[in-house]
Amino acid sequence: MKGRQIILDHINGREAAALMVDGLLDDLLIEGDAPRVGTIYRAIADRPVKGQGGMFLKTPDGMAFLRQVKGLAPGDRMLVQVTGFAEPGKAIPVTQKVLFKSRYVIVTPGAPGVNVSRSIRDDDMRDALLAIAHEEAGGLLADANLGLILRSACDGAGAEEIAEDIRAMLDLYEAVMADGEGDAEMLSEGDGPHVSAWRDWSEPAEVVTEAGSFETHGVLDAIEMAQGAQVALEGGAYMYVEPTRALVAVDVNTGRDTSPAAGTKANFALAKALPRALRVRGLGGQIVLDLAPMAKKDRRGFETALRAAFKRDVIDTTLVGWTPLGHYELQRKNARPALSEVLK
């Protein structure tokens, strides 16, 4: 099926959202067991970690870890926000740079100013958005060390929808910031898969909400395929995506093509397909690519293709570079639970 579909359903009793693009599973969100990304806590400093420049914090959901700590002492209270998925047995990753993010706006405490997404280039629209922002939030933005980002989803949205979103995020900001005293407590829970889909999958799409729609729209079949390691690539090549305890190993195979250019073609096909393969599997951390044979002169072109593919991805990924053995390494944020874990 051509086009975009956002399908909201449940799988194994867990809330889930799937993005299908031209009949292929392009993104997948499934409720995990760890605290949701975006959750805001009032946390209590517990003990520093020497050598790592961080500190463990107490939260009602277990220990959290805050990096690059300065001026904190055990017993201090602070507001922190969950930044990623906590792997089993590890502390919850958090930051003190709290954000309030919705479909149309992001409220940014500590980063003053009103900014419009660079993807909105029409000057009249930019001016109109700035006018809405100043009308709804002008007084608060002037008095507080506070900023506002108008997201790309504002393009084509109604003025009242945007204004309502601004008011909702500012109300949440004021409620959370006024609640800084007391024991460790959750002050605001992060968004679940259905709300996250509304917030972040903002391009035009058919939205399907009927119970059982994962089965009727081919999502369950796509998820079953994603639970396997093998991923077909353009031109008959394929890759294996296999998570281990330490890293995610990706192996490229040229298939039946034995021509001199087969390795290069397979590697470029991998560059295009890799972000989606990692998204739908919920994989992050260290990613190591064991590429097909390719001349060194083609490495720069491969890196360019890889960079372009991940530029369109929704999860922060750093392209680290080549190893002495000719592998290519990436570092990807652990933003979601692994598919293999939530569907055990």
Side-chain angles (χ1 to χ4, degrees):
M1 179 181 290
K2 297 292 184 181
R4 292 169 57 91
Q5 292 179 307
I6 295 173
I7 303 170
L8 309 180
D9 202 355
H10 290 76
I11 182 169
N12 293 355
R14 298 174 182 268
E15 184 178 300
L19 175 63
M20 301 290 285
V21 178
D22 296 336
L24 297 175
L25 181 60
D26 192 73
D27 206 348
L28 179 67
L29 304 172
I30 302 179
E31 186 77 79
D33 297 321
R36 294 172 175 175
V37 174
T39 295
I40 300 173
Y41 295 113
R42 185 197 306 118
I44 301 175
D46 185 52
R47 55 187 172 87
V49 183
K50 294 181 179 180
Q52 295 188 31
M55 179 169 280
F56 283 111
L57 314 175
K58 294 178 182 178
T59 80
D61 292 322
M63 297 302 292
F65 184 69
L66 178 65
R67 295 183 181 276
Q68 299 177 338
V69 171
K70 291 183 179 180
L72 283 180
D76 286 351
R77 287 160 171 75
M78 73 211 75
L79 297 182
V80 295
Q81 188 168 40
V82 178
T83 59
F85 176 73
E87 298 178 30
K90 294 188 178 181
I92 306 165
V94 295
T95 180
Q96 287 183 286
K97 295 180 180 179
V98 176
L99 299 176
F100 299 85
K101 183 178 180 182
S102 190
R103 182 179 177 92
Y104 300 115
V105 299
I106 303 174
V107 174
T108 59
V114 179
N115 296 284
V116 180
S117 169
R118 285 180 292 180
S119 66
I120 300 176
R121 299 181 179 179
D122 182 88
D123 289 339
D124 291 339
M125 179 172 290
R126 294 178 68 88
D127 290 342
L129 291 173
L130 289 172
I132 295 170
H134 285 291
E135 181 177 349
E136 296 298 330
L140 187 58
L141 293 173
D143 296 337
N145 186 22
L146 187 68
L148 194 69
I149 299 172
L150 294 150
R151 305 183 69 198
S152 59
C154 291
D155 191 357
E160 184 51 41
E161 286 181 283
I162 298 169
E164 183 179 345
D165 215 30
I166 293 172
R167 290 194 294 269
M169 288 300 99
L170 290 176
D171 288 346
L172 180 59
Y173 156 78
E174 291 186 300
V176 168
M177 291 300 174
D179 202 2
E181 299 297 327
D183 295 332
E185 182 181 351
M186 178 191 292
L187 302 180
S188 175
E189 187 174 21
D191 295 331
H194 290 180
V195 174
S196 294
W198 168 80
R199 185 191 70 198
D200 294 329
W201 299 345
S202 57
E203 295 182 30
E206 175 192 3
V207 179
V208 181
T209 60
E210 292 82 5
S213 54
F214 269 19
E215 181 175 4
T216 58
H217 288 73
V219 178
L220 292 183
D221 291 338
I223 289 175
E224 184 176 355
M225 291 183 63
Q227 289 180 278
Q230 185 171 323
V231 181
L233 300 174
E234 292 180 358
Y238 52 91
M239 63 178 169
Y240 288 93
V241 181
E242 299 178 287
T244 71
R245 188 170 183 84
L247 51 82
V248 177
V250 181
D251 180 61
V252 187
N253 193 296
T254 60
R256 296 183 179 182
D257 189 348
T258 58
S259 67
T264 300
K265 290 191 292 185
N267 292 337
F268 276 72
L270 168 136
K272 182 178 179 181
L274 184 60
R276 179 170 62 189
L278 297 174
R279 276 198 306 273
V280 300
R281 288 166 172 78
L283 296 178
Q286 299 177 60
I287 317 290
V288 179
L289 310 183
D290 184 11
L291 299 167
M294 177 176 65
K296 284 190 175 181
K297 66 181 178 64
D298 293 323
R299 285 185 172 185
R300 179 171 295 182
F302 169 78
E303 289 184 79
T304 299
L306 198 64
R307 188 173 294 107
F310 278 104
K311 186 176 182 180
R312 296 187 293 271
D313 193 32
V314 295
I315 298 174
D316 292 339
T317 304
T318 302
L319 307 187
V320 178
W322 301 93
T323 73
L325 290 176
H327 297 142
Y328 195 86
E329 295 183 328
L330 307 93
Q331 183 70 36
R332 184 173 175 84
K333 185 176 181 180
N334 277 311
R336 303 172 180 179
L339 182 63
S340 59
E341 290 293 325
V342 295
L343 295 185
K344 277 185 177 178

